[in-house]
Amino acid sequence: MGDTLGSQTISTRLQRIAQKAHQEPELIFDNLYYLIDLPLLREAYRRTRKDAAPGVDKITAKQYAADLEANLGDLHQRLCERNYITPPVKRCWIEKEPGKDRPIGIPTFEDKLVQRAVEMLVSAIHDQDFKSFSYGFIKGRNQHQALNELRTHIMASRQLTIIDADVSGFFDNIAKPHLRTFIERRVADGGIKQLLGKWLNAGIEEDGIVHYPDKGTPQGGVISPLLANIYLHHVLDDWFETEVKPRMKGRCFIIRFADDFIIGCTRKEDAERIMKVLPKRFEKYGLTIHPTKTQCFDYSRPTGKESPADIKTLNFLGLTHYWAKSRRGAWIIKRQTQRQRQKRLITWKSFSEKLKKLHPLPIPRLVHSYFKHITLTPTSS
């Protein structure tokens, strides 16, 4: 479904909110809920994926669309009367890496529409506050930009120490009271706060049993990436910019994509100082920096005297970054898909056979497009 006149009107409305948030960084928005009207819900429907699995009510996007205007009208009425009830989130598990699964929450399709509508309003405000080095799930930013920024920083430094951080179970351990406080620094609208509170306290259904965790937000919800960015903006990004960088003796940088982040320092002692305070900072907000998966190591430009085994590699966003010689003999950063990711890729034969049944596009063209985005052979680009 393409852009409509209604979509353009909504975009203009969101742009005005974003402009005001940008011009007045201390402004607290307390009058947003009335903006969740039928045009916004229609736009939320347009932006919501229609091919995802249904939630606990088992209603698919196709079934909901069969009487779309009536369903949206009924939803809008419930929202206006403040009696919208958030259903439990269905939990399923997907493989993250061999031997380890990741929980994913699946809201109902209707709940996704409400989450999308609120996300559109709240992100228009908070996106203006996010730092330039934060790339995950922010309009106009993507993982390719994050990877290019990382390569630029590494190539610009002859001496470099890297902190490759791992946050244990981030989405499951977000402290709800802290999250509410962070949100209210910019959004204090009672209706929006009520909806966010309902999502944070919505039950999780697994194997027919509903339980109510006292912390965390389900990974997989439409609103979850925005909430995660708001949380880490205050816990990590703003802290790093205002408190950490001014105390460093050398140059340092950070690049974050959702809960994955890399810190680089041109002086080893700066990196060691950050490594000491980073776990304490995260612990203050209910999070844990994994003690063994988080690493601090030298990633300086090779001199040519090292053995291949001594040259470190760096994994970030599914790619392995490594030093190698260019055709002209200069040291450059190349990257390729991580081995664990490669093992999880399905074979050409099984993939193409499935596509023949499911997709009308010519198989070679579609497969080429698919693999172009999920794999990278060794490259300097």
Side-chain angles (χ1 to χ4, degrees):
M1 187 183 296
D3 287 347
T4 64
L5 183 59
S7 299
Q8 296 172 11
T9 303
I10 296 299
S11 295
T12 301
R13 184 190 300 178
L14 296 175
Q15 287 171 6
R16 289 173 181 169
I17 295 173
Q19 184 178 21
K20 192 170 185 63
H22 179 73
Q23 293 173 344
E24 302 181 51
E26 302 299 322
L27 179 65
I28 299 175
F29 290 77
D30 59 3
N31 191 23
L32 294 172
Y33 191 76
Y34 81 96
L35 295 174
I36 305 179
D37 53 14
L38 274 172
L40 186 68
L41 291 175
R42 291 191 189 101
E43 179 63 11
Y45 171 82
R46 190 186 72 85
R47 296 189 185 190
T48 301
R49 282 182 55 186
K50 312 300 189 297
D51 58 348
V56 295
D57 62 358
K58 299 181 181 180
I59 296 176
T60 65
K62 184 177 181 180
Q63 291 171 325
Y64 196 88
D67 198 4
L68 181 61
E69 283 302 311
N71 286 330
L72 291 181
D74 178 68
L75 173 60
H76 181 240
Q77 184 67 28
R78 281 176 280 143
L79 288 169
C80 288
E81 295 174 354
R82 302 289 183 96
N83 60 7
Y84 173 74
I85 298 174
T86 55
V89 175
K90 183 171 71 175
R91 170 167 282 181
C92 64
W93 296 82
I94 62 172
E95 185 182 30
K96 180 180 180 182
E97 56 190 58
K100 187 174 181 180
D101 293 335
R102 168 186 292 169
I104 294 294
I106 305 176
T108 64
F109 182 75
E110 184 174 75
D111 198 48
K112 289 179 183 178
L113 301 186
V114 184
Q115 288 191 32
R116 178 64 68 191
V118 173
E119 185 271 340
M120 289 159 63
L121 294 173
V122 177
S123 65
I125 298 165
H126 279 278
D127 281 4
Q128 313 311 311
D129 301 335
F130 294 147
K131 304 297 183 183
S132 61
F133 52 76
S134 177
Y135 289 93
F137 307 106
I138 300 175
K139 185 177 180 180
R141 307 183 196 180
N142 56 53
Q143 65 184 46
H144 300 292
Q145 295 170 337
L147 292 168
N148 290 336
E149 184 72 10
L150 175 61
R151 184 176 184 273
T152 298
H153 278 297
I154 294 173
M155 292 291 293
S157 308
R158 289 191 172 276
Q159 299 295 321
L160 187 64
T161 301
I162 287 288
I163 298 174
D164 182 5
D166 183 275
V167 185
S168 300
F170 170 67
F171 282 90
D172 291 334
N173 290 287
I174 292 176
K176 296 176 183 178
H178 288 308
L179 177 57
R180 291 190 184 97
T181 299
F182 295 151
I183 293 171
E184 289 172 9
R185 292 181 182 180
R186 285 297 248 161
V187 177
D189 182 283
I192 300 294
K193 287 165 58 179
Q194 183 185 56
L195 284 175
L196 291 172
K198 287 182 177 182
W199 288 318
L200 291 176
N201 294 313
I204 296 177
E205 182 185 282
E206 187 173 8
D207 298 327
I209 300 174
V210 179
H211 60 97
Y212 298 88
D214 58 0
K215 58 183 179 179
T217 176
Q219 188 173 359
V222 173
I223 199 75
S224 296
L226 173 61
L227 299 182
N229 271 331
I230 292 173
Y231 203 78
L232 284 178
H233 169 77
H234 292 283
V235 173
L236 177 63
D237 301 353
D238 195 53
W239 169 75
F240 187 85
E241 280 281 281
T242 60
E243 298 187 35
V244 175
K245 285 183 72 172
R247 292 177 169 85
M248 299 296 101
K249 296 180 179 179
R251 185 176 64 85
C252 62
F253 66 87
I254 181 173
I255 296 173
R256 182 173 69 82
F257 191 97
D259 59 327
D260 292 330
F261 64 95
I262 295 289
I263 296 174
C265 301
T266 56
R267 296 176 70 106
K268 182 180 179 181
E269 58 265 35
D270 286 343
E272 291 173 343
R273 289 179 64 191
I274 295 174
M275 276 291 288
K276 288 181 180 179
V277 299
L278 192 62
K280 298 177 183 178
R281 174 68 181 180
F282 274 64
E283 185 180 1
K284 180 180 178 181
Y285 294 97
L287 301 174
T288 302
I289 296 293
H290 199 289
T292 56
K293 291 185 178 181
T294 299
Q295 300 179 4
C296 180
F297 55 91
D298 180 67
Y299 201 65
S300 301
R301 186 190 304 268
T303 62
K305 299 178 181 179
E306 302 88 350
S307 66
D310 292 332
I311 301 178
K312 293 283 188 178
T313 60
L314 170 63
N315 293 326
F316 185 57
L317 297 184
L319 300 180
T320 297
H321 306 253
Y322 61 97
W323 285 104
K325 286 289 189 73
S326 69
R327 293 181 179 179
R328 297 183 179 181
W331 285 105
I332 59 173
I333 289 292
K334 293 186 177 182
R335 56 199 184 199
Q336 64 182 16
T337 306
Q338 284 178 232
R339 289 184 178 181
Q340 288 182 339
R341 299 295 178 95
Q342 290 175 335
K343 290 179 181 178
R344 283 154 52 191
L345 295 177
I346 55 181
T347 62
W348 162 275
K349 183 177 180 180
S350 63
F351 185 69
S352 59
E353 287 300 320
K354 290 179 180 179
L355 286 179
K356 287 177 182 178
K357 300 177 181 179
L358 298 175
H359 209 287
L361 283 178
I363 295 303
R365 179 158 61 92
L366 182 60
V367 170
H368 171 75
S369 176
Y370 177 82
F371 278 99
K372 180 179 69 173
H373 288 287
I374 63 173
T375 62
L376 283 177
T377 51
T379 176
S380 60
S381 63

